[in-house]
Amino acid sequence: MDNDSKDLEDINALLSVMVAECHDENCRAKVFLPEAFKSFGAIFLHGRENGFVGFVCPTCRQTTLLLKERDAFERIKELFVCSSQDSSHTLLRYRSFPYSLDYHQDYRRFYQLAYTKCAYDKEFSISEMDIRLDLRRNENDDPGELPSGYCSYGFGDRIMGPAATIWWYEEAQIPRLLEIEHETGAKVFPRYFPYAPLIEKADDFTFSYYLSPDFEQWQRASWKAAVVNPLNIYKRDIHKHIHYLNILDSMVQPAGGDNGCGGTIRTPEEMGGIATMPADGLPQAAEAGREQERLRILDHLWDNFSERDVQSLLSRTSARFAAEYPRLSQRSDFSFTLFWKLKEGLLGEISRYIWKESLSRQRYALYKDGASWTLVFDGKKISGLRGSGFKYIQYLVQHRGRQFSTEEISMLDGVTSGKADRSYENQEALRAVEAGSPDVSQEIGDRRVISDLRKELGGLHQDREQAAENNDVGRLEKIDEQITQDEEYLREYIGIGEHGRQFNNESKRTQRRITKSVERAVKQLEKYDLRVYRHFITAIHPINSFSLSYTPLEPLDWHTG
């Protein structure tokens, strides 16, 4: 019985350490500290007689600080933090990146002192004497005194990153600082973060090339040196881009060992050892097709690394990374997941850019480029093409020689004539059809046609004004003819007075909508290149019919992405 009581006491003591309540009045969730620490890091404010333990609630993303007696504070910290005597790579380390609180300048009066020290190795820590010696007025003085209050760093704890900044806070100011975190969403208190070599690599990159105190001085000197040797800056960019590309070219490995990305921390179930706990929401291995594309893009970047266009691409995206990453790190809810999304997002942009560039170098290509379309015909590139007709043409080109009814083609828009296809996204139309309004899906299509026609008419009127200013009589005649046709067609769709709509037959309306879009798209090509215009006029013939196909006189090798 005594043993049972002792076990119960131990369990209760353990729960008091591992479980805490979120202090947000609208949340009050029970938080399992290992889960919160591994996702968002931990706050440890060290005082002489007690200390604050802080966490970000996974539910409401608000910061909570708990004041603990010295023994309880040290016990919690001992479970999670990597000290200078502990060589483990799987525990929390002190991380103060981006090593500045400039974004809190208005609140500077709340801090007693901020002290920054750069790293000389990757396993560094700072002792109390290091700081006291640095605080001397000159080398002959005795070591300086540390500020009073609470320190964001525990002397001797392992530090992650190329530098560390340590802050001291007065106890009376801590509640207001906590409010600032809640109000701004930016961290006021540095975190102890799960050891993550990839995060450390990103910290090193941003600090070395963008945030280092001597970077600006180096930049000025390098510009002077460039007069003598222009390769100096280029060489530094090469090193920078290798560093950056190594960040992009990284994968999260499955749990089961030190994955080098999320870190691992102790759990109550295995207090005797270390249990692998991958960081919050770590992405697992992607599907095979997506992973192959990822590797293909990275192989392309490495294989063509020295090419001017690849260097320019890396320069643009690395600058964005260096601007966005510190802002991301300033967030109180910063996590490995947020970092990963940023990294993968930039890699996706690079992938799309390379994909478009590769298409644009093809002899024949048709692809969506943002809000417009780009067509390459016999090596000539035509950009800025607009209209849904190019979507239909692309589909026909992809299925050369096959006949498609206009009803089938209309499914590309997510609507059909009188039928709702649940595989498409137009939920408004689906709900209306289910409610007994079978014409709504067609109405959606009609509204799109009307919108396209009005946009086209607006552009035509602008073109007409320009042609009139240039006294281009031939161009004016063509524009007036097109305006007349579009206005007539628009009246047919909108209806005039009491006559209502002209096309009551749904199939006919669908046919007119699709074929008119294709006709406008082909007509648009006429002003760029008559050869392209004649090719599509001949290959999609007749355009104004209930079925369409792309059947060129001689097969062309089209690339459509």
Side-chain angles (χ1 to χ4, degrees):
M1 202 60 187
D2 290 339
N3 289 336
D4 291 342
S5 298
K6 183 69 169 62
D7 291 343
L8 185 59
E9 289 178 7
D10 291 341
I11 291 172
N12 289 333
L14 185 60
L15 288 175
S16 68
V17 169
M18 292 295 178
V19 179
E21 183 179 74
C22 172
H23 284 185
D24 183 80
E25 293 181 358
N26 298 319
C27 181
R28 296 296 184 183
K30 294 293 183 182
V31 176
F32 184 51
L33 291 183
E35 289 290 338
F37 289 170
K38 69 156 184 174
S39 298
F40 309 109
I43 300 170
F44 291 103
L45 303 182
H46 306 75
R48 298 186 188 281
E49 298 178 357
N50 51 31
F52 287 90
V53 176
F55 61 90
V56 170
C57 175
T59 302
C60 67
R61 303 300 171 90
Q62 294 290 342
T63 305
T64 292
L65 287 180
L66 307 171
L67 183 60
K68 298 286 185 178
E69 294 299 325
R70 189 70 190 184
D71 289 344
F73 175 85
E74 293 294 347
R75 185 181 181 191
I76 294 173
K77 187 182 169 190
E78 188 179 288
L79 292 174
F80 300 108
V81 173
C82 184
S83 67
S84 58
Q85 292 77 31
D86 186 353
S87 61
S88 171
H89 281 218
T90 58
L91 297 174
L92 303 177
R93 295 192 180 196
Y94 184 73
R95 178 177 180 268
S96 55
F97 181 85
Y99 319 115
S100 169
L101 285 183
D102 291 342
Y103 50 94
H104 286 312
Q105 284 184 1
D106 294 342
Y107 310 112
R108 199 63 179 165
R109 65 186 183 276
F110 294 112
Y111 306 109
Q112 289 201 66
L113 178 66
Y115 167 90
T116 302
K117 189 177 185 69
C118 292
Y120 296 100
D121 58 63
K122 282 299 168 196
E123 298 292 328
F124 86 112
S125 61
I126 301 174
S127 70
E128 179 178 339
M129 187 54 67
D130 290 334
I131 299 180
R132 291 185 61 189
L133 291 174
D134 286 345
L135 291 178
R136 292 181 299 180
R137 291 193 181 124
N138 58 63
E139 292 183 1
N140 296 323
D141 287 344
D142 292 332
E145 292 296 324
L146 294 178
S148 59
Y150 290 83
C151 180
S152 64
Y153 172 72
F155 300 116
D157 293 341
R158 292 291 178 85
I159 293 172
M160 184 164 65
T165 302
I166 303 170
W167 286 270
W168 277 265
Y169 313 92
E170 294 182 11
E171 183 173 5
Q173 303 291 2
I174 288 177
R176 177 56 188 144
L177 292 169
L178 185 60
E179 288 179 13
I180 292 171
E181 276 215 7
H182 292 167
E183 293 167 0
T184 64
K187 65 175 66 165
V188 174
F189 308 103
R191 265 54 170 178
Y192 281 74
F193 200 74
Y195 177 70
L198 189 53
I199 292 287
E200 191 167 55
K201 191 184 295 184
D203 290 354
D204 289 349
F205 169 79
T206 311
F207 180 77
S208 300
Y209 296 103
Y210 294 92
L211 299 181
S212 177
D214 63 346
F215 176 72
E216 196 172 320
Q217 181 180 352
W218 172 89
Q219 195 174 45
R220 286 195 296 269
S222 66
W223 277 111
K224 291 177 183 177
V227 176
V228 179
N229 185 3
L231 292 177
N232 284 356
I233 294 178
Y234 182 72
K235 287 179 180 178
R236 181 174 173 88
D237 283 344
I238 289 289
H239 286 292
K240 177 175 69 175
H241 295 155
I242 289 175
H243 194 155
Y244 172 60
L245 193 47
N246 274 315
I247 293 172
L248 294 181
D249 190 6
S250 54
M251 280 296 297
V252 175
Q253 299 173 4
D258 185 1
N259 58 29
C261 297
T264 58
I265 55 180
R266 299 176 190 259
T267 64
E269 291 78 12
E270 300 194 19
M271 290 300 294
I274 304 297
T276 298
M277 297 178 67
D280 176 44
L282 285 182
Q284 300 299 317
E287 55 204 271
R290 183 178 173 186
E291 181 56 20
Q292 287 177 2
E293 169 65 13
R294 188 182 199 282
L295 294 174
R296 185 185 68 80
I297 292 301
L298 288 165
D299 286 344
H300 174 88
L301 292 174
W302 285 118
D303 292 343
N304 301 277
F305 180 78
S306 60
E307 297 294 329
R308 185 181 297 273
D309 60 336
V310 171
Q311 284 292 305
S312 176
L313 179 61
L314 292 175
S315 180
R316 292 195 303 273
T317 59
S318 65
R320 276 193 54 201
F321 177 86
E324 294 181 23
Y325 179 61
R327 287 198 292 268
L328 206 63
S329 292
Q330 288 168 1
R331 287 175 48 169
S332 59
D333 64 343
F334 173 77
S335 66
F336 187 87
T337 302
L338 288 178
F339 161 77
W340 187 266
K341 288 178 179 177
L342 170 64
K343 182 187 78 72
E344 290 294 282
L346 290 170
L347 187 58
E349 288 184 18
I350 291 173
S351 174
R352 288 188 290 274
Y353 176 85
I354 292 175
W355 170 71
K356 288 177 182 177
E357 284 298 301
S358 66
L359 284 177
S360 67
R361 289 194 291 268
Q362 301 297 330
R363 191 173 178 188
Y364 298 96
L366 176 59
Y367 56 94
K368 190 78 180 292
D369 190 2
S372 62
W373 290 81
T374 295
L375 185 144
V376 182
F377 191 88
D378 200 14
K380 181 179 178 180
K381 183 177 178 180
I382 304 173
S383 301
L385 300 170
R386 294 185 177 273
S388 58
F390 288 103
K391 173 172 59 179
Y392 309 139
I393 293 174
Q394 183 195 53
Y395 186 74
L396 294 174
V397 165
Q398 288 170 336
H399 300 84
R400 182 177 61 204
R402 287 184 56 186
Q403 288 276 346
F404 293 95
S405 70
T406 50
E407 298 247 350
E408 291 174 312
I409 294 174
S410 73
M411 294 175 67
L412 295 173
D413 299 321
V415 296
T416 62
S417 177
K419 296 181 180 180
D421 190 332
R422 295 181 181 272
S423 65
Y424 292 95
E425 296 177 355
N426 201 317
Q427 297 301 317
E428 178 186 353
L430 292 180
R431 285 194 295 270
V433 171
E434 290 170 355
S437 302
D439 292 332
V440 170
S441 61
Q442 185 61 48
E443 294 289 338
I444 297 293
D446 288 349
R447 285 202 296 271
R448 288 176 180 168
V449 173
I450 292 169
S451 176
D452 287 346
L453 281 169
R454 283 174 172 162
K455 289 178 183 176
E456 184 176 330
L457 279 166
L460 286 170
H461 282 291
Q462 290 179 355
D463 292 344
R464 191 185 190 288
E465 291 177 5
Q466 187 176 2
E469 290 177 4
N470 298 332
N471 198 25
D472 189 343
V473 178
R475 180 74 180 138
L476 272 172
E477 290 179 356
K478 287 185 178 181
I479 292 174
D480 286 338
E481 180 183 350
Q482 187 65 45
I483 288 175
T484 301
Q485 289 179 6
D486 283 359
E487 286 180 343
E488 179 183 354
Y489 193 59
L490 184 61
R491 283 194 296 271
E492 290 178 342
Y493 257 84
I494 296 176
I496 304 174
E498 298 178 354
H499 293 289
R501 292 190 180 276
Q502 299 282 321
F503 306 109
N504 294 320
N505 183 285
E506 291 179 4
S507 296
K508 181 64 176 176
R509 287 160 61 185
T510 300
Q511 179 258 328
R512 290 296 299 271
R513 178 171 65 84
I514 299 297
T515 57
K516 189 63 179 177
S517 296
V518 173
E519 184 181 355
R520 287 200 306 272
V522 173
K523 187 74 176 175
Q524 196 177 148
L525 296 172
E526 185 179 14
K527 63 181 179 182
Y528 293 103
D529 192 321
L530 283 175
R531 284 195 314 139
V532 183
Y533 168 73
R534 289 168 183 155
H535 171 81
F536 282 104
I537 279 289
T538 304
I540 308 175
H541 182 78
I543 291 179
N544 189 20
S545 63
F546 280 95
S547 63
L548 298 175
S549 70
Y550 170 75
T551 312
L553 295 177
E554 52 184 71
L556 304 179
D557 185 17
W558 284 97
H559 297 263
T560 58

